[in-house]
Amino acid sequence: MSKGGSADVAAGRWHRRSFLAAAAVAGILSAGLAPAAQARPEAPTQAGSSVLGVGSTYVGLAMQQWVSDAQVRGIDVNYTPSGSPNGLNRFAGRTVDFAGTEAEFSSLGESDPVTRGYQYVPDIAGAVAIMYNVQDSAGRQVDYLHLSRSTVARIFIGAITHWDDQAIIDDNAAANLRLPHEPIKVVYRSGQSGTTALFYDFVANTEPSGFQNWVAGHQLPTNHRIIEIPADFAPLTHGVGDSAGMAQFVAGSAGLWSIGYDEFGYALSFGANAAWIQNAAGRWVLPYAENISAALESAALRPDLSQELSGVYSSTNAIAYPISAYSYIVTACAPAADRSTCQGNYDDAGTAKTMTDFLDYIACDGQVPAARMGYSPLPPLLSQEVINSIGRMNGTAAPKQLSPENCSNPRFHGSLGEGAGAPEDPFAGLDPNGSGAGNTGQQTNTTGGGADQAAAADASATTESAGAGRGGVDAVGGGSGEYRDADPASYKGEGGAGLGRWPMVTLLGLLAAPPLGGSLWSLRRRARLR
């Protein structure tokens, strides 16, 4: 058998099993079964009012699990995934109690200020997967496609239009992949979308001049992020209204020759193939929890906890997945000295009580199943920020300081949770002659390269700098407590300061330890294509 034929067969075996197993797990989670690692739910001591949230579909799978768990606990919360911009608009219009979003209010491009008080609260880490449906020249389904960051960006601005483009051939030369001269059916989110904003931020950063020419040539707005693609907009040839619809279309028979962008959990749930993306370190990666976490070590947080991701796109961490990002929950908040946007809490005390209980659940127990759903759990500093947000919401101090003793988030216990590890790169060990791959395999025994270890070694210096209030930014992906200069360098370390009586060095030591969470694939033999 030829090298290309072997590549198809061997890669197909592990990849199909991977997605089927993960899809089964996702199905169990979506049915509302709480993972065994979570504590027995206890009903709140005081009844709250029913609350409604709308917004992001990127966080939709996590919200579905969280709402199910919350209702079992007696927390009356509901959520409708209708898109981040819709969530922001409805929150601003006071027709819902909270919003889920990956976009900020400034992304809406509207001049009218938001009159309702609000705060951004990072609630989970995720990643945009590049899903595809393609066959090779012999008519065999391809499920090991590798794409460089540049190739991805150029496809979505129309610079690459056919599957046999030389850039795609070069990216897959190690497997001797040959694709037919079929037009690429580029699938996009119709309507306004936070996932669209995240993805085209990556495109703009990766191919800046090509992106600018594309925007100018199609008269797209330049005063805010790209949150909406016009209908029937060449080269984007098929619009889909939400994340589930995107994954379902690409995975189905009608999606042959298509490619789209979606939060990774939907690829797992619908059995859609996700491309291996080459990061800035030259490694090929999929968006599993360990890869998301590694990339978000380079995320910068502004004073309002909104994110700046240019460092993520160019992260040289060996296992970083470059299209990773946090999602936010937007809530009301009482006037606070450190949050100019906090202008008033919920009018109804019952609503505030329900939101308090829901946020408390998200901070810890809600992070337990993250990796199995296609996300990554928050680092400890951001779990603490969720708790801090409860204080801002109610005009009080943070109700508690999180620790390994009172928080089930696996990040507090040296792990990313079950399902965090990525499968072996099927190109590992192949002759990279002409491919540029040169990959020796995923290092699945780490959660963030050597960043946590380096942070632990330098704990005293970084903590001292943070205590001095320098313009630093937390290494929020690693959760290591490391502070770095960055632009915008304005996250002052509220999360680290909130550790209270728990010594920073103890937490650093816990986080520097190798993850204890098992991987669905960690015991499998290394897949080699011959």
Side-chain angles (χ1 to χ4, degrees):
M1 182 178 291
S2 68
K3 182 170 67 173
S6 298
D8 295 336
V9 174
R13 273 200 300 268
W14 71 260
H15 211 61
R16 276 188 289 275
R17 290 184 191 132
S18 299
F19 275 124
L20 287 174
V25 171
I28 291 172
L29 290 171
S30 66
L33 299 178
Q38 290 182 261
R40 181 182 299 275
E42 298 179 359
T45 57
Q46 176 183 341
S49 302
S50 177
V51 304
L52 173 63
V54 302
S56 166
T57 61
Y58 178 93
V59 76
L61 293 173
M63 276 289 181
Q64 182 179 19
Q65 179 68 34
W66 294 345
V67 166
S68 177
D69 289 350
Q71 291 174 346
V72 168
R73 294 163 183 249
I75 305 170
D76 192 0
V77 60
N78 296 277
Y79 183 80
T80 301
S82 58
S84 295
N86 182 55
L88 292 174
N89 282 321
R90 290 194 60 187
F91 179 84
R94 299 177 184 269
T95 62
V96 297
D97 301 300
F98 69 93
T101 185
E102 292 77 53
E104 300 80 30
F105 282 107
S106 60
S107 301
L108 301 179
E110 299 172 355
S111 57
D112 293 338
V114 181
T115 58
R116 182 181 187 180
Y118 66 91
Q119 61 176 334
Y120 300 118
V121 185
D123 55 6
I124 203 163
V128 177
I130 306 303
M131 304 181 306
Y132 65 93
N133 186 341
V134 66
Q135 297 175 355
D136 66 14
S137 296
R140 297 168 297 191
Q141 197 71 24
V142 175
D143 53 10
Y144 57 90
L145 188 70
H146 286 47
L147 297 173
S148 70
R149 290 174 299 153
S150 175
T151 300
V152 170
R154 291 164 62 205
I155 288 173
F156 283 88
I157 58 175
I160 294 175
T161 60
H162 286 77
W163 282 108
D164 62 347
D165 189 277
Q166 189 63 46
I168 299 176
I169 293 173
D170 290 346
D171 289 345
N172 294 273
N176 197 29
L177 177 62
R178 292 294 178 264
L179 298 174
H181 187 66
E182 291 285 346
I184 298 176
K185 186 186 298 182
V186 182
V187 186
Y188 64 98
R189 284 285 300 277
S190 58
Q192 295 184 337
S193 163
T195 306
T196 294
L198 285 180
F199 178 66
Y200 275 96
D201 286 350
F202 161 78
V203 172
N205 186 278
T206 302
E207 289 289 331
S209 60
F211 175 79
Q212 290 166 8
N213 291 338
W214 180 69
V215 166
H218 293 88
Q219 299 182 334
L220 293 174
T222 58
N223 61 335
H224 60 82
R225 302 164 74 187
I226 302 297
I227 61 171
E228 183 174 12
I229 303 297
D232 300 321
F233 187 59
L236 311 186
T237 56
H238 188 87
V240 179
D242 59 25
S243 291
M246 170 84 76
Q248 190 171 24
F249 176 83
V250 173
S253 58
L256 183 61
W257 312 120
S258 68
I259 191 168
Y261 55 91
D262 209 347
E263 206 289 322
F264 182 50
Y266 292 94
L268 295 178
S269 294
F270 288 91
N273 291 315
W276 293 78
I277 305 300
Q278 190 178 42
N279 62 24
R283 302 287 289 274
W284 302 98
V285 290
L286 286 174
Y288 283 80
E290 65 174 9
N291 310 96
I292 296 169
S293 174
L296 289 174
E297 290 179 0
S298 300
L301 291 182
R302 303 180 180 94
D304 64 357
L305 298 184
S306 64
Q307 58 193 343
E308 202 285 323
L309 299 172
S310 59
V312 173
Y313 311 140
S314 59
S315 171
T316 56
N317 187 309
I319 64 170
Y321 183 79
I323 325 177
S324 299
Y326 291 107
S327 184
Y328 322 130
I329 187 170
V330 178
T331 78
C333 52
D338 64 338
R339 293 291 189 278
S340 62
T341 61
C342 288
Q343 300 170 10
N345 189 20
Y346 297 101
D347 295 331
D348 176 58
T351 299
K353 176 65 169 66
T354 300
M355 289 302 300
T356 294
D357 293 333
F358 189 45
L359 289 169
D360 184 79
Y361 157 77
I362 288 174
C364 291
D365 287 355
Q367 303 301 310
V368 172
R372 288 181 287 177
M373 293 189 292
Y375 300 92
S376 184
L378 292 175
L381 287 168
L382 289 188
S383 278
Q384 182 62 51
E385 283 291 1
V386 178
I387 298 300
N388 294 347
S389 76
I390 296 173
R392 289 192 292 270
M393 186 177 69
N394 295 321
T396 64
K400 60 183 173 182
Q401 305 301 325
L402 298 181
S403 71
E405 283 71 28
N406 66 8
C407 186
S408 58
N409 180 346
R411 297 300 299 272
F412 280 85
H413 305 277
S415 170
L416 288 167
E418 184 180 354
E424 196 79 35
D425 177 7
F427 285 10
L430 291 181
D431 180 5
N433 217 10
S435 72
N439 196 343
T440 58
Q442 282 263 83
Q443 297 178 354
T444 56
N445 62 332
T446 67
T447 60
D452 285 345
Q453 288 82 354
D458 197 30
S460 60
T462 56
T463 305
E464 179 183 355
S465 297
R470 74 178 170 96
V473 58
D474 174 41
V476 291
S480 62
E482 181 185 6
Y483 288 76
R484 304 172 182 169
D485 286 323
D487 184 15
S490 48
Y491 180 56
K492 302 297 185 183
E494 294 94 335
L499 294 175
R501 69 180 184 276
W502 292 99
M504 179 70 78
V505 69
T506 301
L507 182 56
L508 287 169
L510 286 169
L511 293 169
L516 301 177
S519 164
L520 294 176
W521 298 273
S522 61
L523 298 179
R524 296 180 62 85
R525 290 180 61 85
R526 180 177 176 183
R528 290 179 178 274
L529 308 181
R530 299 183 185 277

